[in-house]
Amino acid sequence: MARNVRKEIKQPDAFQTAGARGMAWLESHAALILAAGAAVLLAGAAAWGWRYWSAKTQEKAAISYMLAQEAKGPQEVEALRRTALAYPKTRAGILARLELAEKLREGGQLPGAEQEYRILLGSSAAVPMDQELAQRGLASVLEAQGKCPEAIAIWREILGRGSLVSQEDLYLAIAGCQEKAGSLQEAAKTLEEFS
């Protein structure tokens, strides 16, 4: 019986057999394993590189926006425009464009302000609040240009979707525009709707 135990001990067990098979498989697929490892490393390096580049771009955009806000007068408008053009997909670039459009509107440059608001509305980087602010600004510019029906349509769209800011000023703006257009009954209905 002692001889049988010795023979069994000398024979490879399940662990040794599985290990030998695993090593044989690794040796036969070494090129594939190396290629897969290199691909994983390359993908990791690319992801790290993209995150690093994105963070640096955000940082540069924030600095550019901050410097634009420090400028005064026409230099401020140009600095905001440069920031908005150079960094259109960043948070700072979106804020710079919103501020640029507002400055142009305040300065009476209504076509320029309208263009900036429309660019913002077409931006995929703008968050819902940015979109609403751009819509409100665009409607104000359109009203100032005497395009009340277009402005009212935008204000109504915001009301229909649910305003993120407030609804009171939208009703008052709609009623004011309707009054300017001579639709006093429509203005009264809007104010009734508001109340």
Side-chain angles (χ1 to χ4, degrees), residues 81 100-101 104-105 109-117 141 145:
R81 182 174 281 120
L100 170 62
L104 291 173
R105 183 174 52 117
Q109 299 176 25
L110 300 179
E114 181 180 348
Q115 178 184 358
E116 296 300 329
Y117 283 127
V141 168
Q145 293 175 339

Side-chain angles (χ1 to χ4, degrees), residues 11-87:
Q11 292 178 355
D13 62 2
F15 179 74
Q16 290 173 330
T17 305
R21 284 187 193 146
M23 287 304 292
W25 185 87
L26 284 174
E27 287 175 2
S28 66
H29 293 87
L32 179 65
I33 293 169
L34 285 175
V40 167
L41 284 175
L42 187 61
W48 178 86
W50 185 83
R51 281 194 305 270
Y52 178 80
W53 175 81
S54 180
K56 284 298 183 185
T57 301
Q58 292 286 348
E59 184 180 330
K60 288 178 187 177
I63 290 169
S64 179
Y65 179 53
M66 183 186 66
L67 291 174
Q69 289 179 312
E70 295 295 318
K72 298 293 178 220
Q75 292 83 13
E76 181 181 15
V77 170
E78 286 308 310
L80 288 169
R81 182 174 281 120
R82 278 193 307 274
T83 300
L85 289 172
Y87 307 103

